[in-house]
Amino acid sequence: MKNDWLIQKTINWIESHLHEQISANDIDVVTGFSRYHFHRVFQTSVGMSVTEYIRMRRLANAASVLLNTDERIIDIAFYYQFESQETFTRAFKKLYYLPPGQYRKVMRTMRRNREESIVEEKIKGWFISKMYPL
């Protein structure tokens, strides 16, 4: 498509500003197009509105932070521009079908179990524990 470069430029800009407030005026400045025209082009190209894209990407980044840090959920929510922990939890649960705290717990357990099974496959007869293998 002839507007692919513009869509990619906008996505790159959005990705680098996910933790900041992003207004429609900011997007207008980046694209140089009218708000309504660009939003139609974006939706046609990406399959979702700019607002939906921003929310989805913020939630995906928040999920990564939940999994890889011990940062408090409320701090993550505010960093990614959610008005409250409740708003963040509602949006997160809608996308991931689990509240953030439970997501963190379940995904860490799954990752740990996967890592253990990979090691067990590589070293037959060994298992992961805090002690020596049997």
Side-chain angles (χ1 to χ4, degrees), residues 82-118:
F82 288 88
E83 294 176 8
S84 67
Q85 184 172 340
E86 181 183 351
T87 304
F88 173 67
T89 298
R90 198 175 319 117
F92 193 91
K93 193 173 178 180
K94 187 175 181 181
L95 184 62
Y96 291 101
Y97 302 102
L98 291 171
Q102 191 175 355
Y103 174 87
R104 175 183 268 166
K105 186 177 179 181
V106 167
M107 295 306 287
R108 282 183 175 176
T109 301
M110 286 176 59
R111 183 170 61 182
R112 192 175 324 107
N113 291 343
R114 182 172 173 259
E115 289 169 356
E116 288 175 4
S117 77
I118 289 170

Side-chain angles (χ1 to χ4, degrees), residues 11-110:
I11 286 174
N12 292 344
W13 185 87
I14 289 169
E15 291 294 326
S16 65
H17 292 85
L18 283 173
H19 62 282
E20 302 169 9
Q21 279 285 18
I22 299 174
S23 71
N25 290 337
D26 295 331
I27 302 292
D28 295 348
V29 169
V30 171
T31 65
F33 281 15
S34 80
R35 178 175 308 162
Y36 305 105
H37 175 67
F38 177 73
H39 283 272
R40 279 192 304 272
V41 169
F42 189 91
Q43 180 129 13
T44 300
S45 233
V46 178
M48 65 182 76
S49 72
V50 175
T51 306
E52 290 171 313
Y53 178 82
I54 291 169
R55 179 173 283 258
M56 184 205 60
R57 292 299 301 137
R58 283 178 171 162
L59 289 168
N61 284 359
S64 177
V65 172
L66 282 167
L67 188 57
N68 296 305
T69 72
D70 290 322
E71 191 131 355
R72 295 179 333 154
I73 294 170
I74 193 162
D75 294 335
I76 296 168
F78 288 147
Y79 182 77
Y80 284 108
Q81 302 300 308
F82 288 88
E83 294 176 8
S84 67
Q85 184 172 340
E86 181 183 351
T87 304
F88 173 67
T89 298
R90 198 175 319 117
F92 193 91
K93 193 173 178 180
K94 187 175 181 181
L95 184 62
Y96 291 101
Y97 302 102
L98 291 171
Q102 191 175 355
Y103 174 87
R104 175 183 268 166
K105 186 177 179 181
V106 167
M107 295 306 287
R108 282 183 175 176
T109 301
M110 286 176 59

